[in-house]
Amino acid sequence: MQSRLARIFRPATRRTVMLAIDHGYFQGPATGLERVDLSIVPLLPYADALMTTRGMVRSTIPPASGTPIVLRASGGPSVLRELSNEQIAVGMEDAVRINACAVAVQVFIGGEYETRSVRNMTRLVDAGQRYGIPVLAVTAVGRELTRDARYLRLATRICAELGAHLVKTYYCEPGFDTVAAACPVPLVMAGGRKLPERDALAMAHHAIENGAAGVDMGRNIFQGEAPEAMIRAVGAVVHESMRPEDAFGQYLRQPRVR
């Protein structure tokens, strides 16, 4: 378990830059993910971990890439249905076969199927303890819930109390520092919707400064005009504590490669 976590979080900084490309499990081919082999594979050297699905691992991600896999393990409904109605979609033995460093599950605190999603997480935690695979609980706000500090403290703490080894949640202002302080396991910031590059770098910086152990960004990287330059700039913010304006300057100086 600790060995797998040490592959996700760089030992030198104890932080991580995850690249999230698992959107297709409920959204289909999201913008920027139509051709993962062309848009994502070149970014793998700059990611500490790749959050993806087992179908993408087996069909597209090069086995020799060496980038640790955080495997999406819940699913069910598409964007056309009630998103909180998820179930476990991957067995832990298959996660072992894929050599995943962690499995990820959505937890819909306050959602229509809240109890089912919590049960999904606890079942994965039990299986993960047997196999030595950490569980990443992803706090899912759905369409109606507010991403404020009060809600995020509730959701992240429930996940940690029930056994999640790390938690992914959204950034909020004010009060993100209270969310991180109340969560006893590593907290990774979700990138969320696409922002201007300068704003996304500032959000990552503020999250790290206020206690996050890393970021898990997807759309703010692969939907931009220069994904490689952006993921390198995010890495500088997370691992080098670079100020966002300096990281943005670095981003602008990088070659525009897509």
Side-chain angles (χ1 to χ4, degrees), residues 170-188:
Y170 291 98
Y171 181 72
C172 66
E173 287 185 345
F176 185 81
D177 59 327
T178 68
V179 179
C183 185
V185 299
L187 195 68
V188 176

Side-chain angles (χ1 to χ4, degrees), residues 149-168:
R150 182 180 180 185
Y151 170 78
L152 296 178
R153 284 195 301 268
L154 172 71
T156 56
R157 184 59 174 261
I158 287 174
C159 292
E161 293 269 359
L162 291 175
H165 303 91
L166 57 161
V167 178
K168 173 180 168 181

Side-chain angles (χ1 to χ4, degrees), residues 230-246:
M230 186 60 180
I231 194 171
R232 294 177 70 173
V234 170
V237 168
V238 172
H239 292 300
E240 301 172 25
S241 299
M242 185 178 288
R243 295 177 59 83
E245 55 268 29
D246 296 330

